[in-house]
């Protein structure tokens, strides 16, 4: 099992990581929700956006990481945070918004889970979801190359994140349960300091599964190999920075 998430490492790129939930929140058509739930709330950066937009609503954050929940509670003492497994979690009655920023790509059979959660909402309730759609980007393909090239190959075989289903699969599954479904992609281009920064970005997310089975020396060797591959795929721009291309999938479904 992978070690717990590292909130401090995750928040090294807080501004870049908070742009997608800002963009998702801008498309949520609710004026005065009673209860809003941030699914996979992480360290509370996305929950804070919900609390700021709807100060009179009950705001709840749910995550399966004790470390993330602890960080979120310290950040937002006025909100409620709880541990939960989204594969089985059920929204409490009176929930008007389920907001999920970059979490369902980790949940097995998440199409089924999204349909179940949408069906549990009251009429007019909203399911708003954002997921990275980047497993075909060099950042992730090079993880697989580095994994297959080292002495750790057998131990990290098959840990790559699954590719997301096609847009049509989400549409077909959610439309029968909703009065409106909006699905779109946004392609972000994040200027980062260099290949090391890209590796640091994913060390708190996509690389976790690769690094977890390795000892400290192997982790350092894996990261060195991965970073060298990144340097070839992400050349320096005129200002010395590199551009991390990052496509994301967005869904807003109104019950």
């Amino acid at each position: 099992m992978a070690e717990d998430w590292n909130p401090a490492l995750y928040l090294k790129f807080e501004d870049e990581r908070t742009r997608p939930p800002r963009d998702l929140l801008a498309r949520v058509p609710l004026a005065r929700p009673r209860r809003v739930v941030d699914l996979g709330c992480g360290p509370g950066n996305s929950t804070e956006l919900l609390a700021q937009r709807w100060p009179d609503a009950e705001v709840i954050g749910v995550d399966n990481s004790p470390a993330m929940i602890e960080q979120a509670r310290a950040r937002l003492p006025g909100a409620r945070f709880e541990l939960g497994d989204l594969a089985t979690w059920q929204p409490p009655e009176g929930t008007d918004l389920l907001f999920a920023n970059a979490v369902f790509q980790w949940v097995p059979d998440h199409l089924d889970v999204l349909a179940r959660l949408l069906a549990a909402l009251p009429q007019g309730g909203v399911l708003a979801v954002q997921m990275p759609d980047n497993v075909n980007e060099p950042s992730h393909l090079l993880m697989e190359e580095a994994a297959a090239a080292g002495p750790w190959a057998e131990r990290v075989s098959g840990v790559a994140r699954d590719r997301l289903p096609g847009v049509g699969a989400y549409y077909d599954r959610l439309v029968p349960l909703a009065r409106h479904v909006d699905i779109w992609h946004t392609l972000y281009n994040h200027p980062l300091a260099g290949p090391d920064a890209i590796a640091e970005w994913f060390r708190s997310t996509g690389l976790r599964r690769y690094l977890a089975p390795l000892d400290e020396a192997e982790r350092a060797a894996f990261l060195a190999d991965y970073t060298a591959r990144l340097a070839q795929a992400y050349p320096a721009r005129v200002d010395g920075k590199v551009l991390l291309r990052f496509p994301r999938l967005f869904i807003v479904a109104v019950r």
Side-chain angles (χ1 to χ4, degrees):
M1 184 175 68
E3 61 190 26
D4 199 1
W5 292 75
N6 184 329
L9 185 58
Y10 183 89
L11 288 172
K12 277 192 174 183
F13 302 96
E14 179 173 357
D15 180 64
E16 292 88 351
R17 293 192 191 282
T18 308
R19 283 181 61 190
R22 285 196 198 102
D23 293 345
L24 179 61
L25 184 57
R27 302 285 285 271
V28 174
L30 289 173
R32 295 181 182 86
R34 298 162 293 176
R35 178 180 291 120
V36 301
V37 182
D38 188 8
L39 301 175
C41 63
N45 55 312
S46 51
T47 322
E48 189 171 54
L49 299 177
L50 302 178
Q52 289 170 348
R53 176 162 170 180
W54 296 295
D56 296 327
E58 179 185 8
V59 178
I60 302 171
V62 179
D63 205 284
N64 68 353
S65 163
M68 288 294 199
I69 289 289
E70 181 181 358
Q71 177 77 22
R73 284 173 175 157
R75 181 174 186 146
L76 280 177
R80 190 173 105 214
F81 293 95
E82 58 189 48
L83 286 167
D85 180 356
L86 297 187
T88 56
W89 183 87
Q90 192 72 5
E93 189 175 348
T95 298
D96 292 317
L97 171 63
L98 295 176
F99 188 88
N101 176 60
V103 64
F104 277 105
Q105 73 275 12
W106 301 113
V107 178
D109 303 315
H110 69 256
L111 265 176
D112 293 339
V113 178
L114 291 174
R116 174 178 62 78
L117 292 173
L118 179 59
L121 291 176
Q123 185 173 6
V126 175
L127 173 68
V129 177
Q130 180 274 126
M131 289 176 282
D133 195 6
N134 59 345
V135 294
N136 289 321
E137 293 296 311
S139 58
H140 281 64
L141 297 176
L142 295 177
M143 289 181 200
E144 298 182 41
E145 286 188 13
W152 43 71
E154 287 188 12
R155 279 175 288 158
V156 296
S157 176
V159 303
R161 198 182 82 223
D162 291 337
R163 284 154 177 76
L164 296 183
V167 168
Y170 292 101
Y171 188 86
D172 290 346
R173 194 62 185 275
L174 299 179
V175 158
L177 302 167
R179 66 183 186 188
H180 178 73
V181 174
D182 190 12
I183 305 179
W184 73 97
H185 277 88
T186 296
L187 174 59
Y188 298 88
N189 289 283
H190 298 298
L192 300 180
D196 288 344
I198 298 178
E200 191 79 345
W201 175 299
F202 289 111
R203 196 157 63 86
S204 67
T205 55
L207 281 171
R208 292 174 68 249
R209 293 183 175 184
Y210 294 95
L211 299 178
L214 309 183
D215 63 31
E216 188 173 346
E218 288 173 326
R219 290 183 182 189
F222 187 105
L223 286 169
D225 185 2
Y226 175 58
T227 304
R229 295 172 189 271
L230 291 173
Q232 296 298 314
Y234 295 91
R237 311 316 307 178
V238 66
D239 59 356
K241 294 183 178 181
V242 296
L243 285 176
L244 174 62
R245 174 187 152 106
F246 204 129
R248 295 179 182 266
L249 173 69
F250 293 77
I251 304 170
V252 174
V254 181
R255 185 81 167 111

